[in-house]
Amino acid sequence: MKITKEQISNGIWILAILLILFTPIGFHVRVWVNKVVAVVVSPGTVNKNEQAVLEDYHWELVDREGNKMNLISHKGKVVLINVWATWCPPCVAELPGFADLYKDYGDKVVFAFVANDDEDKVSAFLDKKEYDLPVYFQASYTPKVLASNSIPVTYILDKEGNIVVNKTGAANWNSDKTRALLDNLLAE
């Protein structure tokens, strides 16, 4: 049986796809692709008449040191919530932008990076990347209006609890558009 050049080419493509899908090298390739996508995707706002409202702020979270935080203590403030995991390429891709945004707005906006992952993996990942972000783990059920079957998912709430941003997938969170939105929400 003779193997053709076309069969060899097809085999190489299949091998490349398998490497991308099922190896650590592939994970890094998927992160890089999501970073490229995130650079051009700036999250938009939800139309005013379509905005959901977070009425039940009760959501207990626990940080990496075991300190409890309940979202209800931040009612009346601008809040940014990001649900993510270390094994999620789009999540990993957008974290550098979040880190930059947090440096500038961490004292004005409530940030909650809710990890949907193993605590040890999250701590090792954050330490390796040297991210100084307020990361939490769920200690109670997620409020229904913030529940999502996909990650990453990011919500920005205004002071009245309106969900003005509801974005699934990677985005450029350190964009001028996001900063202008936060500035406007803080000024209200």
Side-chain angles (χ1 to χ4, degrees):
M1 181 170 147
K2 187 175 179 183
I3 298 175
T4 67
K5 287 182 182 180
E6 183 180 343
Q7 290 171 321
I8 292 171
S9 177
N10 288 342
I12 291 171
W13 277 109
I14 291 170
L15 180 60
I17 290 169
L18 290 174
L19 285 172
I20 290 171
L21 291 176
F22 300 110
T23 67
I25 292 170
F27 179 82
H28 295 293
V29 169
R30 292 190 309 275
V31 168
W32 180 83
V33 168
N34 277 282
K35 280 184 181 181
V36 170
V37 170
V39 166
V40 297
V41 176
S42 188
T45 57
V46 178
N47 290 333
K48 189 77 170 164
N49 60 342
E50 296 175 5
Q51 291 176 359
V53 179
L54 179 62
E55 294 179 13
D56 179 13
Y57 270 77
H58 179 74
W59 190 18
E60 195 168 295
L61 304 170
V62 178
D63 69 14
R64 295 193 300 156
E65 287 77 37
N67 302 310
K68 291 184 178 182
M69 186 273 280
N70 196 316
L71 194 59
I72 200 160
S73 65
H74 299 294
K75 191 173 184 175
K77 298 177 184 174
V78 177
V79 179
L80 186 149
I81 299 166
N82 173 259
V83 182
W84 68 288
T86 62
W87 48 263
C88 165
C91 302
V92 172
E94 67 182 3
L95 279 177
F98 274 130
D100 291 338
L101 188 67
Y102 177 70
K103 283 178 193 170
D104 293 338
Y105 285 86
D107 60 338
K108 304 171 198 159
V109 173
V110 176
F111 285 81
F113 295 93
V114 182
N116 189 5
D117 206 337
D118 177 72
E119 190 173 339
D120 291 336
K121 289 180 183 176
V122 169
S123 290
F125 173 83
L126 294 171
D127 292 344
K128 179 181 175 185
K129 297 290 187 177
E130 298 180 352
Y131 289 140
D132 181 28
L133 299 170
V135 173
Y136 299 93
F137 301 90
Q138 296 188 75
S140 69
Y141 289 106
T142 305
K144 190 176 268 189
V145 73
L146 299 177
S148 175
N149 292 326
S150 299
I151 58 171
V153 61
T154 303
Y155 305 98
I156 297 178
L157 286 66
D158 68 12
K159 294 175 184 177
E160 286 76 44
N162 297 306
I163 300 173
V164 297
V165 172
N166 179 347
K167 171 72 173 106
T168 302
N172 178 9
W173 293 100
N174 193 32
S175 68
D176 291 339
K177 186 176 179 180
T178 301
R179 287 171 174 267
L181 171 65
L182 292 177
D183 289 339
N184 289 336
L185 294 175
L186 289 165
E188 290 180 354

